[in-house]
Amino acid sequence: MREFNFDGLVGPTHNYAGLSHGNVASQEHAGQPANPLRAVLQGIGKMRFVAGLGAGQAVLPPQPRPDLRSLRRLGFTGSDEEVLANAASDRDGGDHLLRLCSSAAAMWTANAATSAPSADASDGRLQLVPANLTAMFHRALEAETTTRVLRAIFADERHFVVHDPLPGGSHFADEGAANHTRLFTQGHAALHLFAWGRRAFGGPSRAGEPMRFPARQTLEASQALARLVRVQPACALFPQQDPRGIDAGAFHTDVLAVGSGRVLLLHELAFVDADALVAELRSKLGAEFCAVVAREAELPVASAVAAYPFNSQLLMLAEDNYCLIAPEEARENPHARAYLSRVLDEENPVRAVHHLALSDSMQNGGGPACLRQRIVLSEAEQKAIVARVFADEALLAELETWAKRHYRDRLSANDLRDAKLHREVMTALDELTRILQLGPVYDFQLASR
Ligand code: SUG
């Protein structure tokens, strides 16, 4: 079995629209001009770096934005140009609606789905549940296309199950693998942590719920995910995100915790009673399990949210050789740097921290870990994927050339109403589906068939 990091390619409309209440970086950078070309190249650079370490690397495509299908569903009519112009000039928040329908947020593929390897699932198939992302309108738009893309890639039903996203509105709000962690040690069944921020039924949790910022994922959604991916009930844990962490800006679990294999790095405000959780994990996983807890005094939660040391990718290169792919910001922030150097000093298998520049994603609250969906595949499962999504140098170089041909190096809110931008995006994405050998997956491709 090998873990693959399916990174989201940054989309051509990457911009800073301040859409995510509770995501401090998104709020701070609202309205600033963006550089989609630099953003996509930084992302491809990360894929090249991770592949170069010998870790599994693959790619997921962006989504068509502005999302004209959604604008049409909201009653705007006419040609593509007219739909855009009518939406943008609508006096009741048209500008904002256009921003919502233009977000490139599908790049953060940690939120695309929750997955469980075939080895953990009772039917022996790899399980994927696309996230409904209902907590935020601009993200909820992703679920339908994500499902289509995943079904195009994981098409072989002998090996893969791509479920429907969870139904409904806020009751089963699901943010995908950003709240999911899989841990394992030799000789023990893998454990799945399905974290959540609020309860849909039965009143607020005893540990309280955030007051300042929204909790995006419900306990009920996490429980449904555990059922759907068919892990043994004894292997599923449902820790609550600490409401104080959410109120400090940890809108997803992966802002304050990262785990893989036998290692868990976490801030004490990642989960309610983090020490009890660590003790439970140790009793279930044995002495091999290593947790490095950052206390508030060592790493204030505000620094953890600003510098994202926990939003690192924790890569297992060999059983006793893990490394971290951390954002550059985690080296610049003295608290985050001190914590990461303690991780290196202590008895655990983490051997190196590599810092990468991902400023454009970071400024919308997305670090290295947000940009990838982890999917564990057997050799037979890898072979069953016929789309060209596994990253080798030829593909990465082709994607760079493709991006340089199609992406703008400056984009601000006003550009979103430009019908030319919309045509540029469709041309780029149409070409991309050919490069990735995906077949038609986008609304505009299916409508024209
Ligand atoms: O959902 N930002 C994303 C960031 C997602 C990060 N993912 C993980 N933590 N796994 C979000 O808040 C901002 C878009 C804007 O403001 O333009 C945004 O959607």
Side-chain angles (χ1 to χ4, degrees), residues 20-200:
S20 290
H21 178 53
N23 168 343
V24 177
S26 150
Q27 300 298 293
E28 266 176 22
H29 295 93
Q32 293 191 6
N35 184 338
L37 177 60
R38 189 178 58 201
V40 70
L41 294 178
Q42 285 180 347
I44 296 170
K46 176 167 91 66
M47 292 188 232
R48 179 175 282 120
F49 189 85
V50 168
L53 292 171
Q57 182 65 59
V59 62
L60 289 173
Q63 301 202 358
R65 297 289 182 270
D67 180 356
L68 291 205
R69 177 146 180 271
S70 292
L71 291 174
R72 287 200 162 93
R73 285 172 72 186
L74 292 168
F76 297 100
T77 55
S79 65
D80 289 357
E81 287 74 10
E82 286 163 345
V83 167
L84 276 175
N86 292 339
S89 59
D90 189 78
R91 270 190 274 149
D92 295 313
D95 264 351
H96 187 59
L97 180 60
L98 191 57
R99 284 196 291 273
L100 289 166
C101 290
S102 300
S103 172
M107 65 201 262
W108 298 296
T109 52
N111 305 118
T114 300
S115 87
S118 53
D120 299 0
S122 61
D123 73 346
R125 295 187 291 170
L126 169 76
Q127 309 285 317
L128 283 157
V129 188
N132 61 26
L133 293 169
T134 52
M136 301 268 155
F137 176 82
H138 71 291
R139 304 229 49 189
L141 302 179
E142 296 166 30
E144 203 177 318
T145 303
T146 298
T147 307
R148 240 186 260 143
V149 167
L150 293 177
R151 286 190 176 145
I153 297 172
F154 300 94
D156 188 335
E157 291 179 5
R158 286 168 309 170
H159 292 287
F160 311 122
V161 192
V162 180
H163 298 269
D164 287 334
L166 302 184
S170 69
H171 281 62
F172 292 94
D174 169 25
E175 296 283 312
N179 292 320
H180 173 236
T181 307
R182 178 174 178 264
L183 298 169
F184 57 90
T185 47
Q186 292 287 337
H188 293 85
L191 293 183
H192 292 259
L193 276 58
F194 298 94
W196 53 280
R198 68 184 168 88
R199 294 172 63 132

Side-chain angles (χ1 to χ4, degrees), residues 11-17 31-37 65-66 102-104 407-418 421-422 424-425:
T13 60
H14 167 65
N15 74 102
Y16 302 114
Q32 293 191 6
N35 184 338
L37 177 60
R65 297 289 182 270
S102 300
S103 172
Y407 280 53
R408 298 187 181 188
D409 60 8
R410 189 184 159 88
L411 199 73
S412 50
N414 261 338
D415 300 318
L416 300 176
R417 56 174 71 213
D418 177 3
L421 174 71
H422 175 245
E424 284 166 25
V425 173

Side-chain angles (χ1 to χ4, degrees), residues 296-312:
E296 184 65 18
E298 172 187 25
L299 172 53
V301 68
S303 287
V305 167
Y308 267 34
F310 298 103
N311 201 264
S312 297

